[in-house]
Structure formats: C-alpha cells, structure tokens
Amino acid sequence: MKAFLFIPCLVEHVLPRVGEATAMVLSRAGVAPELPAGQTCCGQFAYKRGRPDLTRPLARRFVEIFEDAPVIVSPSASCTAMVRKYPTLFEAGDPWRDRAARVAARTFELGEFLVDKLGCPDLGSRYVARATLHASCQTTRALGVGDATEMLLAAVEGLTLLPLAHPERCCGFGGAFSVDYPEVSQAILAKKIDDIIATGAEAVITAEPSCLLNISSALAKRAVPVKALHLAEVLAGGEL
Amino acid sequence: MSACRHNFGKASAAALADGESRAILDKAILQIHALRQRSVDAMPDFTDRRARAVAVRQATLDRLPDLLETLEASVTAAGGIVHFAEDASQASRLITDLLTARGVRLAVKSKSMVSEEIGLNEALAAAGIEAVETDLGEYIIQLMGQKPSHILAPALHVSKEQVSALFAEKFGRTSTDIPEMTRIARDSLRAKFLAADAGITGANIVVAETGTVMVLENEGNIRLTGSCPPIHVALMTLEKVVGSLAEAAAVLDILPPSATGQTLPVHLSLFTGARRDGERDGPREMHLVILDNGRSELLADPILRPILKCIRCGACLNVCPVYQSVGGHAYGSVYPGPMGSILSSVLKDAAGDARQPFACTHCGACAEACPAGIDHPVLLQELRRRQAEQGTDTATKSYAALARHPLLFGAAAAWARTVDPRLDRVAAMAPDGPVGKFLRGRKFPGLSKPFSRRFKAMAKRLSRAQAKGGRS
C-alpha cells in the first residue's frame, strides 16, 4: 500500500523531524510513503483569517496535487480538518466541490489513519520515557479523532503515560490568535505549561504540530527540562 | 459595526496584568466548571435531555412570529400588558416612561442581562428613579459601581475579602463569614422590597400558551421582586419564548445543570399576569416588555441564526480558554465569552470590539459544552469572513499569494532561514512590536532544512529496509 504524505508548512520548514518520523512510522506499518512535489500550505491560515476567497485557490492546488493518491496521511489534525472543509468552499454544482470531497474523504491524520484504517497495527515501538499527553483541540474536537492517540501510545513499550490536569484545555496557539492577542495566548499557554510541569513528566506528547511548536517554545523559554514530542516521534521509537 | 468602540487586545492585556483578579477568576471558574461537570456526569440521560431541549429551541426559531402573537394574547388574557421594543433606547424609554407616569420613586430589580443590554439602570437614574439590584452578586456589583463580568455570576471576579471591605464601607458592618455577609445584604435589601413601588425582573423562559414568565434563582429575591411591589415589569428578548409548559420543562431539564450544576434551582418562579379579583397578593399591574434589538435580523440570517438558541447558561464562558484567562470585563460588552462574541457583534447599540470574533483559538470547547447545540466556531468563522470582507489584510494576502507558487514559497522560506537567527535581536530591539510580544513567553525554534529536501535519501533507506522485510 502506498500513502501520499501531506506535509504541513510548519513541519516542512520548522519541524522536519516530525515529517521524518511520520514517514518511518508509515513504513513500519507496511505503507510506502511518497512525497508529491509542489506542496506549500493547505490554506488554514487564510481560512481562519476569514478569507475563504484566498483559501479556494490553495484548495484547488491541493486537489490537483493529491487527486491520484490512494490515501493521504498528515501528521497534523488541524491541516487535515482544513482539507475536510474544502468542499464547503465551492458552490453546489461546481465540479471542484466533488473533486475536493473525493480528496477529503481519503485524507487522514496519522493516528486516525493507523487506528481507523489499519486497525492499530503493532509497530513494535519502544520509547523509554515518563510522559504526559496534550490531546490537542484540533485532534479531538475539530477532527473528532476519539482516543486513537491514546491507543497508539498505550502500545508503546517503555512509555509511562502520566495524567495531565485539564486535558481538555487549549494551549492558546490558535494560529493568528497568538500574534493578534499575544498576552492572552501566553497566559493560556502558561497554564498548560504549569499543568505539564506538575505531572512530573520528562516529556509531553501531542499529535498536533502547532501545539508542539507552541508548547516546546514556551518550555525552552522557561528552560524547563521537559521534551516536547510529536506522536510520530514516539511511535518511531527512541529514548530520552 | 463601527470600527473601534472598544479594544479587546488592550483591555485583555490590562486584565491579565491584574494578578489578584486573575487568581480569583481562575479559582471561581474551575469551581463552577466542576459543578457543571459533576451534575452532567450524574445524569445518564443528559444526551437525551439535550436533544429534546435543542429540538424545542429549534422549534421556537421556526415559528417565532406565531409564538409571539400567541404570547401577547395569553398575557393580555391573564391581565397583563405587552409592549414591544425595537431597540435598547426604545425599551429603556418605554419602561422609564411607564414608571414615571405611575409616580414610581424606587424600583427593586432582579438580575437581568437584558436590562444591562438596554442600559436600564442609567435611564432610570436619569429619570430620578432609584433602582436597586436584589440579586446578591448583582447588588455587590452595583455597590461597587461596576458591570457584571459573567452572564450568570455577575460578581465572579470579586473575592469574599473585597465584598467584606465593600460592606464595611457602605453599611458600617463587616464579616468574612458568608452567612453573616448575606445577612448584612439582606437587612439592607429587605427595607427596599417593602418600600419599592415597582419590581423589575428578567425572564429565563416565557410560555406562549399560558403567558407565563419563568425565572430561576437561588436567593428568593426574584419572587419578592415580582410579587411584593404593586407593579411588575418583566423584560425579555423575543427568542426566550417557547410554545407550551411541556416545552419549557424540556429547557428546564438542561438549564440549571449546565449553568450551576443543579437539577433545579432553589426557587423557580412562574408569573402569569397580574393579581386577579379576589386574590390577596401579587402585583396590581403586570407588564411584559419584549425586546428585539437586532434579533429579528439574526432570525433572518441563515448562518448566524442558531445563536438565538442560546439559553444563557454560561457553559461556553466557563470552558472558553480566553474567557477563563481575561474575565468578562475585557470584552467591553454586556455578553462576554463565545456566545457574547457572536451576539454582541449584531446587537444594536452594543458596545464591544468589532473584531471580537478573531479573539478565539478555535478550540471548540464552547460548542462541546453548549446544551443548546450551538456550534460557536462556525458562527465565529462566518463573522470573521464578514469582517475580513471589509478589511485589507495584506499579510494574509501576501502569504496566500506565495503559497500559490511553490518556487516563490520555497524561496521565501530560504530567505526567512537566513533572517531567523536575527529574530531574537529584532525582538529585543522592539519588545512591544509583534515579534517581541510573541516571543515574550516563547523561544523562537528556528527554521530548519526543509523536510522535502531530506525525504529522498530517507525514502531510499526505508524502501531498502522494507525490501529486506525488517523494521527500519
């Protein structure tokens, strides 16, 4: 089985290690990852700024790039959720609407793909760490991925998962929100970091790259020795 | 929608700088949220209750004009008088004129967000009528000269110690013992109930078929407000109506659990019309004021219409990370939080920041918590779209233009990589600029060699490993 990698711009340019881990995990699951050329941005940024008009051309690009994919897998819930909204960008009767719907139906977030499509394969993952999970709003609420992330992590040998207080609470990134309202964003983030520290974990795991970036940069600023990891990195295996 | 009535960014930054208020808010919100969670968890049939209530709220919106007509007839038949008000100023003028014509000097009030919406207290004061709030939280806020910070718990942001100091100043009596503090307030309020010429209440649910105004409370002040003085004025917005008592019961099934974590509140008052012949108590006159203030336009708006299903339980406020951090006052409008960010943007004469819909992380906690089935993020997204139509967002435009051309996009990223080691310096030079503010609590991660340039080598390695049948 082949899967086309849908690599969000944040992963491409800031967190390439997440892309590498995703490719490795898919390969271990017996899926051959391919990277179609010409990917840029799914348009989530423009969409959430209230500009569906600017998002539409990016959606068309995406559909053209991925139309021939048997399946599309992304290490980001928020970008996957954006692709699932693509059909709504086009009027009923517009052929792009159907094309977008076909592509959207084949696009999955990594954890969702492994659990719902591959039936939670044994990846033989081993990652030695005491960690906590930040279940991102985009994974749970926007995309409606149930406990796929937890299920996958539960099967990782050597990993101890510590409960996080207020797991339902957002980390405060929200894309442009963090630039528009930096004080509020950082106040929300500070609570999340306090909760993470309180678990006593050595690492915090999340399946959403934007949360990963937000949380890791705050941990670094405070010089807290807690490592921030993407789900894919843990599944790819390793040791702190 | 005018441009800059209020600046949420500035107001929220100021609110965050107040450490004491933040600590009080944090504690209070966690408490109220835990109460709700416990009560919802204890109801195995909450999902069914919610579905029934959502259906009732939807049915109200589907036949609102008919329901209002029925309501008017029922209230009139029960001896009450119905008044319709287009907007805030018309409503407050109507009530002020009504009370002035009857020589009212003192009015007792129960907490009503609609009366805050129309600025009723200010209008009454200008007409020389003293209006005293009788809900304890609202009374505290009134004595402090403030506005409510939560649609349900108006004094959520005030500590016990602050109230104690306030009472010492106003009444010369003080305590930090809650029952004793309540007694101090009660002593002052009881005299007002007895002397009042009119009582003004809000309305949680209004039943069209019977003309009954339902109000929920825990303190007993509302039943006194609506029954003690000779005149009762009840104030509602037009979407609060439901068809029948059975429909009202469906809403009652979810309102107290979602709001305060109660199955039912301590008091549930049902006011139907004025005192009838032979009855010994109740108001001689009962007036029902039905306010529109932009809601008909909402009703006609296919996308924003669902916000009218809101039952004002406050559940969305209590789970909103933005509200949790900054509190209600930062919003600068009567209705804060997710429901407020939608409602305030379309109300006539509403204060607040027109760009409020952007002050949201899109985490979806509000929609998950809402017992009326409102999908706030979708509505906020629509408001963003309408706002963006009027603006020129050059940053978004440029980004979207770059993203249409992979070569340009890659070149821009390459350029950014050469600049990014200097971003820390930029931030240090301009700590109040956008980069400086963003990096105050974050360390910039730096840009890396793109994944796409690493993938080829990696793919070869992976396929070799797969060919061997071993794990990579």
Side-chain angles (χ1 to χ4, degrees):
Chain A
M1 185 188 194
K2 272 196 303 193
F4 279 31
L5 288 174
F6 161 26
I7 298 299
C9 43
L10 198 60
V11 172
E12 165 79 357
H13 295 292
V14 187
L15 298 163
R17 60 185 165 98
V18 172
E20 291 175 317
T22 304
M24 193 180 289
V25 169
L26 286 173
S27 171
R28 282 232 208 124
V31 178
E34 285 191 18
L35 186 70
Q39 296 187 47
T40 54
C41 166
C42 66
Q44 185 186 175
F45 180 75
Y47 185 78
K48 289 198 173 156
R49 296 301 278 171
R51 298 298 301 262
D53 56 329
L54 296 176
T55 316
R56 219 167 281 129
L58 299 178
R60 279 193 217 106
R61 280 200 76 235
F62 188 97
V63 169
E64 281 171 344
I65 292 173
F66 285 98
E67 209 154 31
D68 299 327
V71 68
I72 302 148
V73 180
S74 174
S76 163
S78 66
C79 299
T80 304
M82 183 67 243
V83 171
R84 300 243 175 108
K85 287 195 199 93
Y86 280 172
T88 65
L89 293 171
F90 304 99
E91 301 284 333
D94 184 335
W96 281 101
R97 191 179 169 105
D98 291 338
R99 288 172 73 181
R102 280 195 295 273
V103 167
R106 290 201 298 271
T107 306
F108 302 95
E109 182 262 342
L110 176 65
E112 181 187 39
F113 175 70
L114 292 173
V115 172
D116 294 353
K117 292 287 138 191
L118 298 188
C120 204
D122 177 13
L123 299 165
S125 305
R126 183 181 153 80
Y127 202 110
V128 183
R130 285 163 53 78
T132 192
L133 170 68
H134 165 69
S136 88
C137 313
Q138 294 298 314
T139 317
T140 53
R141 298 201 192 101
L143 203 57
V145 174
D147 46 8
T149 317
E150 283 94 331
M151 279 172 71
L152 289 163
L153 290 177
V156 175
E157 196 193 323
L159 188 73
T160 309
L161 220 49
L162 305 167
L164 181 69
H166 316 299
E168 77 292 343
R169 197 145 71 181
C170 165
C171 74
F173 189 62
F177 172 80
S178 56
V179 180
D180 288 346
Y181 302 98
E183 292 91 352
V184 190
S185 169
Q186 282 168 62
I188 301 171
L189 175 58
K191 288 184 191 169
K192 186 54 78 180
I193 300 296
D194 289 343
D195 288 346
I196 291 168
I197 294 171
T199 62
E202 311 159 279
V204 53
I205 305 166
T206 174
E208 174 58 38
S210 40
C211 301
L212 181 65
L213 181 71
N214 197 32
I215 289 171
S216 65
S217 59
L219 288 167
K221 182 79 173 195
R222 285 211 216 168
V224 179
V226 175
K227 210 168 167 182
L229 299 166
H230 189 276
L231 167 71
E233 293 178 276
V234 179
L235 296 179
E239 205 159 321
L240 279 177
Chain B
M1 282 192 257
S2 63
C4 43
R5 301 167 291 189
H6 173 84
N7 187 317
F8 177 76
K10 279 187 185 148
S12 57
L16 285 166
D18 182 350
E20 191 191 358
S21 295
R22 278 195 65 198
I24 298 167
L25 183 73
D26 247 5
K27 206 174 137 200
I29 289 275
L30 284 178
Q31 267 172 2
I32 194 167
H33 178 54
L35 283 174
R36 172 189 167 269
Q37 201 55 49
R38 205 173 57 194
S39 106
V40 170
D41 289 346
M43 290 179 183
D45 62 338
F46 188 78
T47 313
D48 298 339
R49 289 177 182 227
R50 182 174 171 159
R52 280 197 299 272
V54 170
V56 165
R57 294 304 297 144
Q58 187 58 52
T60 285
L61 300 188
D62 292 343
R63 53 184 175 145
L64 194 55
D66 289 347
L67 286 180
L68 291 173
E69 221 170 275
T70 310
L71 176 66
E72 187 182 15
S74 312
V75 171
T76 311
I81 301 160
V82 177
H83 312 262
F84 287 92
E86 276 292 303
D87 58 23
S89 55
Q90 200 189 350
S92 62
R93 197 169 51 243
L94 193 152
I95 298 172
T96 310
D97 289 351
L98 196 148
L99 298 188
T100 308
R102 286 157 180 78
V104 172
R105 309 295 307 161
L106 170 68
V108 280
K109 282 185 70 204
S110 72
K111 181 186 158 287
S112 151
M113 292 310 292
V114 183
S115 91
E116 301 281 349
E117 182 182 326
I118 64 172
L120 184 58
N121 285 5
E122 292 79 1
L124 290 173
I129 299 171
E130 187 194 356
V132 180
E133 295 291 348
T134 63
D135 169 272
L136 183 55
E138 188 81 20
Y139 187 43
I140 289 165
I141 294 304
Q142 188 179 36
L143 290 174
M144 292 178 99
Q146 291 190 7
K147 293 278 176 199
S149 69
H150 188 283
I151 58 168
L152 213 84
L156 186 84
H157 60 289
V158 185
S159 73
K160 194 167 75 170
E161 289 70 26
Q162 288 169 343
V163 176
S164 172
L166 175 77
F167 282 7
E169 181 201 326
K170 299 284 177 186
F171 306 124
R173 285 168 67 188
T174 190
S175 171
T176 47
D177 171 47
I178 299 270
E180 179 55 23
M181 289 167 78
T182 314
R183 234 181 323 269
I184 296 172
R186 187 178 288 148
D187 286 347
S188 155
L189 287 173
R190 198 160 281 169
K192 301 288 185 187
F193 281 121
L194 292 172
D197 311 303
I200 303 168
T201 70
N204 289 106
I205 308 167
V206 185
V207 183
E209 230 169 64
T210 57
T212 304
V213 175
M214 284 183 153
V215 204
L216 283 63
E217 56 158 340
N218 284 310
E219 298 171 15
N221 62 306
I222 292 182
R223 55 165 53 183
L224 287 172
T225 304
S227 58
C228 237
I231 302 164
H232 175 201
V233 180
L235 185 54
M236 69 178 280
T237 48
L238 44 84
E239 81 280 11
K240 288 288 179 81
V241 71
V242 298
S244 62
L245 282 166
E247 287 192 357
V251 177
L252 268 179
D253 260 353
I254 54 154
L255 178 51
S258 308
T260 50
Q262 294 167 294
T263 312
L264 267 183
V266 177
H267 299 273
L268 170 63
S269 297
L270 284 75
F271 300 110
T272 309
R275 185 190 299 195
R276 277 158 284 262
D277 289 341
E279 286 181 345
R280 286 169 52 200
D281 49 20
R284 304 269 175 201
E285 276 183 44
M286 196 269 186
H287 299 267
L288 179 63
V289 179
I290 305 176
L291 175 70
D292 185 325
N293 210 24
R295 286 168 178 84
S296 311
E297 279 168 49
L298 271 179
L299 189 69
D301 187 320
I303 301 177
L304 298 180
R305 192 181 187 207
I307 192 61
L308 292 177
K309 287 194 284 188
C310 177
I311 56 168
R312 308 287 187 274
C313 69
C316 64
L317 276 60
N318 301 333
V319 297
C320 173
V322 176
Y323 179 89
Q324 282 178 342
S325 297
V326 302
H329 287 158
Y331 291 78
S333 80
V334 175
Y335 304 103
M339 54 79 59
S341 297
I342 300 161
L343 194 55
S344 307
S345 68
V346 282
L347 292 186
K348 296 212 167 82
D349 317 316
D353 187 336
R355 288 189 62 79
Q356 196 69 54
F358 287 89
C360 155
T361 68
H362 259 250
C363 79
C366 44
E368 189 180 71
C370 179
I374 299 166
D375 194 344
H376 305 82
V378 169
L379 307 192
L380 287 166
Q381 182 59 38
E382 173 63 11
L383 285 166
R384 287 183 183 194
R385 194 189 63 77
R386 291 180 192 184
Q387 274 281 312
E389 255 174 13
Q390 299 170 4
T392 51
D393 184 349
T394 44
T396 307
K397 258 190 184 162
S398 324
Y399 183 84
L402 276 178
R404 281 199 291 274
H405 307 285
L407 286 177
L408 283 179
F409 195 75
W415 173 81
R417 273 197 297 281
T418 65
V419 176
D420 94 70
R422 277 172 272 164
L423 271 178
D424 275 332
R425 264 187 288 159
V426 172
M429 272 180 346
D432 289 325
V435 181
K437 276 189 175 176
F438 182 80
L439 290 179
R440 208 167 283 165
R442 298 180 181 96
K443 193 170 181 300
F444 192 70
L447 291 150
S448 301
K449 182 182 165 188
F451 167 75
S452 53
R453 277 208 248 146
R454 305 170 184 218
F455 181 73
K456 248 184 207 150
M458 197 189 170
K460 268 188 200 141
R461 218 170 58 234
L462 290 176
S463 66
R464 266 203 307 272
Q466 257 189 356
K468 274 192 232 158
R471 296 197 183 279
S472 57

